[in-house]
């Protein structure tokens, strides 16, 4: 899908920077609204340099934070619409077990989003997830909507539908310069493009891009170890037909642990820590041999205690990027000085499932419309001192 050597068109109704899942959905919604839209990606597609690659992501209704819980029904509906438009299956319902210490605030938030009738007793848990060993004093809940999104397939689908609606996708074009104004000018390694509105959704590269526009957003890229663990022969309830799970509030894993059934690699269950090591996105894969991996040790200990049917040493370790904000809430807002530049960033490792709604909100903001969900929790102004005095 490499871009041609000369731009076919210099002027558009809208430009979106970043063809990950968030930027692609923003472009998709703009194209659905009959806006002539250019979607720019710095790497040749498909690639594994950002946060949207891989075969699977968890989706769920259980959310401790109210704004996301309110957005999830819309997100499920929009995923189903994309499935119908693309003519392909993007979601497998497996159910989701949420576990944590009784009274933990995050667990209680999930309980509020699901309802008290979703708490599992010991017998129900054993029926639904026989491979999970919960510890004394812990509570489990069942989210029947939980399941697996097929990530790579979903990203291809939204881009394909975007182009089918007349959108232009140009990959292998790194943005070199952004010139704000009533018409924004974007210069890349292959062309110069102009549009009255710009959406920036460049993942871990967003901080550097908005820095040129006078913003210092508190975005921290993290390198995440994505680990796959082999099932022991004859072990019950940890394989392809088991549910997803989330463990919250554990003292040994303060950022949480999540797992998905063995759908990507035969016999390998995906279990990851919801945190990582600070990194430069350009250097993510340059890890020196022998570098300590404390998060893998943490996961090994968790598996020994909670998932004894898995080998406690990972069979495959891959990497991914999170781009975190200090409060782990998204940034979905207009540039405080240039209102026709919209920023979507800081998805903090939990944005993929919400991408259809995020894309819609970014589209609405760029068109000057009232957002369909409140964006107040995602305002840039919650971080003081982000706008430089002089550009």
């Amino acid at each position: 899908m490499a871009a041609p050597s000369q731009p076919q068109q210099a002027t558009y109704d809208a430009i979106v920077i970043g063809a990950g899942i968030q930027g692609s959905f923003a472009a998709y919604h703009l194209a659905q609204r009959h806006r002539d839209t250019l979607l720019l990606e710095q790497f040749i597609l498909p690639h594994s340099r950002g946060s949207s690659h891989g075969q699977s992501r968890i989706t769920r209704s259980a959310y401790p934070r109210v704004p996301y819980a309110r957005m999830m029904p819309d997100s499920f509906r929009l995923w189903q619409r994309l499935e119908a438009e693309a003519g392909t299956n993007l979601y497998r319902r497996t159910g989701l077990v949420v576990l944590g210490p009784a009274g933990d605030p995050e667990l209680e938030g999930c309980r509020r989003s699901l309802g008290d009738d979703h708490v599992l007793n010991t017998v129900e848990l054993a029926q639904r997830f026989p491979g999970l060993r919960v510890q004394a004093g812990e509570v489990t809940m069942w989210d029947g909507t939980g399941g697996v999104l097929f990530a790579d397939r979903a990203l291809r689908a939204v881009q394909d539908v975007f182009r089918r609606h007349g959108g232009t996708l140009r990959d292998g074009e790194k943005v070199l310069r952004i010139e704000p104004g009533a018409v924004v000018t974007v210069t890349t390694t292959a062309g110069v493009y102009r549009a009255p509105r710009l959406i920036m959704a460049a993942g871990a590269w967003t901080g550097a891009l908005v820095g040129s526009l006078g913003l210092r957003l508190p975005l921290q890229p993290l390198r995440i170890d994505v680990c796959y663990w082999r099932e022991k022969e004859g072990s019950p309830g940890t394989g392809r037909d088991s549910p997803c799970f989330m463990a919250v509030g554990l003292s040994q894993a303060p950022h949480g642990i999540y797992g998905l059934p063995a759908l990507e690699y035969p016999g390998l269950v995906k279990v990851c820590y919801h945190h990582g090591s600070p990194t430069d996105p350009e250097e993510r894969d340059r890890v020196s041999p022998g570098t300590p991996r404390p998060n893998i040790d943490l996961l090994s200990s968790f598996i020994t205690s909670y998932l004894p049917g898995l080998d406690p040493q990972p069979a495959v370790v891959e990497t991914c990027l999170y781009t975190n904000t200090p409060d782990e809430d998204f940034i979905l807002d207009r540039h405080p000085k240039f209102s026709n530049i919209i920023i979507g960033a800081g998805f903090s490792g939990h944005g993929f499932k919400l991408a259809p709604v995020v894309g819609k909100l970014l589209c609405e903001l760029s068109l000057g419309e009232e957002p369909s969900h409140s964006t107040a929790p995602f305002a840039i102004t919650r971080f003081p001192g982000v706008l430089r005095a002089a550009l």
Side-chain angles (χ1 to χ4, degrees), residues 195-322:
R197 55 188 64 84
L198 171 67
I199 295 174
M200 304 176 70
W205 288 266
T206 300
L209 284 173
V210 300
S212 69
L213 298 172
L215 276 183
R216 288 192 183 96
L217 295 181
L219 298 172
Q220 177 59 69
L222 300 176
R223 185 186 69 246
I224 308 299
D225 292 317
V226 181
C227 302
Y228 300 83
W229 312 76
R230 193 174 307 281
E231 300 170 80
K232 295 177 181 175
E233 191 170 347
S235 297
T238 56
R240 183 179 176 85
D241 297 323
S242 65
C244 300
F245 75 86
M246 288 169 39
V248 301
L250 305 183
S251 58
Q252 69 271 37
H255 297 282
I257 291 172
Y258 64 92
L260 297 87
L263 297 175
E264 297 188 28
Y265 300 109
L268 299 185
V269 176
K270 183 177 180 178
V271 182
C272 305
Y273 187 41
H274 188 57
H275 197 63
S277 307
T279 190
D280 178 339
E282 300 290 354
E283 306 287 332
R284 184 194 84 191
D285 294 324
R286 298 176 189 173
V287 181
S288 303
T291 300
R293 307 292 278 268
N295 294 342
I296 294 180
D297 295 337
L298 179 156
L299 287 168
S300 294
S301 175
F302 173 86
I303 281 168
T304 298
S305 299
Y306 288 82
L307 297 166
L310 301 180
D311 188 319
Q313 295 303 315
V316 175
V317 179
E318 300 173 348
T319 59
C320 188
L321 282 176
Y322 286 4

Side-chain angles (χ1 to χ4, degrees), residues 62-66 69 98-116 119 137-141 246 248-249:
Y63 243 112
R65 291 270 285 113
V66 171
V98 185
L99 71 96
D104 173 76
E106 193 171 353
L107 187 76
E108 288 304 309
C110 289
R111 188 205 296 260
R112 285 191 295 273
S113 71
L114 290 173
D116 289 337
V119 175
E138 294 178 346
V139 174
T140 57
M141 286 175 284
M246 288 169 39
V248 301

Side-chain angles (χ1 to χ4, degrees), residues 111-133:
R111 188 205 296 260
R112 285 191 295 273
S113 71
L114 290 173
D116 289 337
D117 57 335
H118 289 260
V119 175
L120 294 175
N121 60 39
T122 305
V123 174
E124 291 169 326
L125 176 65
Q127 289 173 341
R128 289 177 171 169
F129 202 162
L132 181 65
R133 299 286 180 267

Side-chain angles (χ1 to χ4, degrees), residues 38-225:
L38 171 65
L39 177 58
L40 290 169
E41 170 56 47
Q42 64 173 323
F43 302 116
I44 300 294
L45 294 169
H47 70 84
S48 59
R49 298 287 301 277
S51 302
S52 296
H53 68 281
Q55 295 182 51
S56 64
R57 297 291 190 281
I58 288 177
T59 189
R60 54 190 162 99
S61 295
Y63 243 112
R65 291 270 285 113
V66 171
Y68 304 110
R70 287 177 175 166
M71 291 159 71
M72 278 309 303
D74 197 12
S75 190
F76 276 110
R77 180 182 63 79
L78 289 169
W79 279 117
Q80 290 169 352
R81 187 175 89 174
L82 178 62
E83 282 187 318
E85 290 170 331
T88 187
N89 179 33
L90 302 177
Y91 163 62
R92 174 176 171 178
R93 182 177 295 206
T94 65
L96 170 83
V97 172
V98 185
L99 71 96
D104 173 76
E106 193 171 353
L107 187 76
E108 288 304 309
C110 289
R111 188 205 296 260
R112 285 191 295 273
S113 71
L114 290 173
D116 289 337
D117 57 335
H118 289 260
V119 175
L120 294 175
N121 60 39
T122 305
V123 174
E124 291 169 326
L125 176 65
Q127 289 173 341
R128 289 177 171 169
F129 202 162
L132 181 65
R133 299 286 180 267
V134 175
Q135 310 301 300
E138 294 178 346
V139 174
T140 57
M141 286 175 284
W142 179 252
D143 179 354
T145 70
V148 177
L149 287 168
F150 303 127
D152 283 342
R153 192 186 302 174
L155 185 60
R156 286 194 303 272
V158 69
Q159 291 170 355
D160 287 347
V161 175
F162 163 68
R163 286 182 298 193
R164 199 185 308 156
H165 282 82
T168 302
L169 172 55
R170 296 177 63 84
D171 62 352
E173 291 199 31
K174 184 178 179 66
V175 172
L176 301 177
R177 188 166 63 256
I178 300 168
E179 299 167 60
V183 174
V184 182
T185 301
V186 178
T187 302
T188 75
T189 49
V192 179
Y193 310 102
R194 296 176 179 85
R197 55 188 64 84
L198 171 67
I199 295 174
M200 304 176 70
W205 288 266
T206 300
L209 284 173
V210 300
S212 69
L213 298 172
L215 276 183
R216 288 192 183 96
L217 295 181
L219 298 172
Q220 177 59 69
L222 300 176
R223 185 186 69 246
I224 308 299
D225 292 317

Side-chain angles (χ1 to χ4, degrees), residues 21-22 63 75 79 330 347-356 358:
I21 196 65
Q22 311 294 351
Y63 243 112
S75 190
W79 279 117
F330 305 164
F347 296 103
S348 303
H350 64 110
F352 199 101
K353 69 185 76 61
L354 286 154
V358 166

